[in-house]
Amino acid sequence: MPNSTANTPMPARRPRPRSPTSSAVQAAEVASARPFDSSDLAELFDRFADHPALLLAVSGGPDSMGLLAAVARWRQARPDGPALHVATVDHAIRPESADECAVVEAAARHFDLPAATLVWHGVKPKAGLQREARAARYRLLAAEAKRVGAGAIVTAHTISDQAETVLMRFLRGSGPLGLKAMAEITERDGVAIIRPFLWETGDRLKATALAAGLTPVQDPSNIDDRFTRVRLRKLIAAMAGEGLDIERLATFAGRMRLLDEALRHQAAKLAQASLKPTIVPGTQVFEAQSWLAEPLATVQMLLSRAIEEVGDSEVAERLAAIEELSVQVLMALAEGRAAKTTLRGAVVAVTAEGRVIVSREPMRRAARE
């Protein structure tokens, strides 16, 4: 199984521990948040200076406007830095969205940066709207990055996003494979996704935007209780009084990523030892009898990574499904019988001879489902 470096997180800037605060103190922190200065920007972005171009994903909200101001200021101090391009996505869901995209384009012009508005055309789903909108956003951004020659998209995810993500995954039943922190660098559709602010607060990004003379827009969906993230945001605020604030949730997620990395290392060693050559594209074949002597968690990780490469890139978050699949595979291996199952776009087959074959699910069947 190939060992991709795209999912390897870079060293993170961990937040300083902090005791729970009252709402009044939190409000004071927002008012006194310090914009990012030159030394902060160098620490955050100098490692990306060798990119030929970067695409900044800017929605117009406080976090992404802070991203725009921060990266533009850093680039002004780095004549040898990458070319910067700005993209904003009009999901065409609310009538105000076109005007909000125009605000982003004007902000980009403030820094003499080229900007494009990417429109999500087509019928919008009634169920899972935010999930589908997110998928469409990344598709559009990846296509725009390729168009302008940018090898990476920079987003404004913050420590709050870390906390909300780990809590959301926990409520969905995720285990160690899903409760890890977001990586600072991942890959999607052949383009790197860079999240340099994962251990920073949104207050600092907002302060950076305001210091640059930018006025963020307010998306009403960010306060709409119909959406899970909005409800979780309020839940986290309530739990902060008991000591479980965003920093502790994010720190927990960071620790789970360390465990995830160790498990991935073990799974990669097992995969390398059991992987057999094959001439069939999109297929991996393993001599898997040795898996019976390994911890179940290692086999789960190996299978989840194999499925990610041919099917669903988020299968690791679905703990119950990958647990059930792993047990089925190991039981078939132990009993010397054939078995076959599908999971999230992949077919996992066990032969009576003790081989495990992971391949892409046929398109016709996948389309029906």
Side-chain angles (χ1 to χ4, degrees), residues 12-18 29 36 63 155-167 181-182 184 195-205 229 233 236 245-254:
R13 290 159 49 91
R14 297 296 194 270
R16 292 189 299 272
R18 177 180 73 155
E29 287 180 348
F36 292 104
D63 294 351
T155 72
H157 290 99
T158 68
I159 191 172
S160 295
D161 296 302
Q162 287 277 37
E164 292 163 14
T165 297
V166 70
L167 189 56
M182 288 186 283
E184 289 192 82
R195 305 176 182 91
F197 299 104
L198 283 178
W199 299 100
E200 304 291 349
T201 66
D203 294 337
R204 291 200 68 189
L205 281 169
R229 277 193 180 271
R233 204 166 294 143
I236 292 172
D245 59 10
I246 60 172
E247 290 184 359
R248 288 194 175 179
L249 280 168
T251 299
F252 167 78

Side-chain angles (χ1 to χ4, degrees), residues 3 73 125 139 162 165 175 183-184 189 226 242 271 353 362 364:
N3 184 17
R73 182 178 171 189
R139 284 197 304 270
Q162 287 277 37
T165 297
E184 289 192 82
D189 297 327
R226 291 178 300 170
E242 301 298 329
E353 296 76 27
R364 186 180 304 172

